[in-house]
Amino acid sequence: EVYPLLLFAVAGMMLFPAANDLLTLFVALEVLSLPLYLLCGLSRRRRLLSQEAAMKYFLLGAFSSGFVIYGIALVYGFAGSMSYAAITEAVRASDSGSVLMLTGLGMITVGMLFKVGAVPFHAWTPDVYQGAPTAVTAFMSAATKVAAFGATLRLFYVAFGSERWTWQPMLWVVAILTMLVGAVLAVSQTDVKRMLAYSSIAHTGFLLTGLLGLRDTVEVGGAEITSLQAVLFYLVTYAFATLGSFALVGVVRDDSGEVTALSRWAGLGRRSPLVAGAFSLFLLSMAGIPLTAGFVGKWSVF
């Protein structure tokens, strides 16, 4: 059952950023989310932890979906349509600060921030990343974030771009909190998967700074790029780094199976220098050390 569930999730992820109206956005959100809830509970060796992760993800995901659908209803009441183009026209034609529109946008944003794992909607991320099978965690950490940010960019660029001065302060606060919480809590973890989960949260904050530079341009390497291009480049570099990191987590094993406790990774460079070297390279890229793709990504979004 893993393969059809994976294909359903991929189909939802492809539809999610391609949606041109809020109803399609919500359907795509559910199509990508429901298979992931099941995939998280399929771990064989740590079955109870995996099932607990799946239940937490399902309950919090269903709660966030309720916010999204109620926000869509409020935006529909404001604009009279679910199409992004019609919402844009309604936003331009109305007085700035419509309570119905702002409330609806705020509730949709809650659901979108949950999918990307931004603070304060990040509580599911470390538990789910730790409990899910490592292959599923790798898939979620890369593919889900790319799809969710693609949909978020379209939502804010296309549908609510005219109202940017209203929602930008809220996202600035979320971005700063996400970077701080993710970075501080990552260094205190004793499990590799939880450490990478909090790292993923911190990267969400960096990506949100690129989203906030709506339609701005920056010079990188002598060429001008837009904030949209910067976010997409960051997503590509982050996806490769996190996929590689979790792939190597699945390689480090002992007689009992996969080893994720940091104390058990001591001496990995002596036992498996290639694995340790590759893992270090991926971490350096995610940290944004110069001469890595992660450095160029962070430079461009900032």
Side-chain angles (χ1 to χ4, degrees), residues 230 233-234 237 292-302:
F233 178 78
Y234 195 113
T237 60
T292 63
F295 171 75
V296 181
K298 285 183 171 59
W299 179 276
S300 59
V301 294
F302 279 125

Side-chain angles (χ1 to χ4, degrees), residues 13-200:
M13 289 173 185
M14 293 175 70
L15 184 61
F16 200 32
N20 281 318
D21 63 84
L22 294 176
L23 189 59
T24 307
L25 180 84
F26 181 74
V27 171
L29 174 64
E30 294 304 296
V31 171
L32 80 89
S33 297
L34 294 174
L36 290 177
Y37 301 151
L38 295 172
L39 287 168
C40 287
L42 295 181
S43 180
R44 293 181 179 180
R45 289 188 176 272
R46 295 191 289 181
R47 188 169 296 171
L48 289 177
L49 189 64
S50 179
Q51 291 174 352
E52 179 187 347
M55 183 59 69
K56 286 180 179 178
Y57 194 18
F58 168 67
L59 291 174
L60 290 173
F63 191 63
S64 71
S65 294
F67 273 91
V68 173
I69 197 65
Y70 197 76
I72 289 173
L74 293 177
V75 172
Y76 177 75
F78 161 76
S81 173
M82 294 189 186
S83 166
Y84 286 178
I87 293 170
T88 301
E89 293 301 320
V91 170
R92 288 174 178 169
S94 70
D95 295 331
S96 181
S98 166
V99 174
L100 201 61
M101 185 270 292
L102 291 179
T103 306
L105 175 60
M107 298 188 81
I108 295 172
T109 304
V110 167
M112 303 302 282
L113 292 177
F114 174 87
K115 291 310 295 182
V116 299
V119 175
F121 313 105
H122 68 292
W124 63 274
T125 309
D127 292 333
V128 173
Y129 277 34
Q130 182 184 19
T134 302
V136 175
T137 304
F139 173 70
M140 287 172 52
S141 64
T144 304
K145 198 173 290 290
V146 171
F149 261 103
T152 305
L153 284 166
R154 280 184 58 80
L155 184 70
F156 285 106
Y157 266 73
V158 180
F160 296 99
S162 303
E163 198 68 20
R164 61 182 293 189
W165 306 115
T166 303
W167 51 257
Q168 269 189 333
M170 170 192 67
L171 286 186
W172 271 119
V173 174
V174 171
I176 293 168
L177 284 175
T178 303
M179 285 185 281
L180 286 174
V181 170
V184 170
L185 293 182
V187 298
S188 63
Q189 300 304 308
T190 58
D191 186 276
V192 175
K193 291 173 76 173
R194 290 184 73 88
M195 179 191 73
L196 291 173
Y198 280 107
S199 169
S200 170

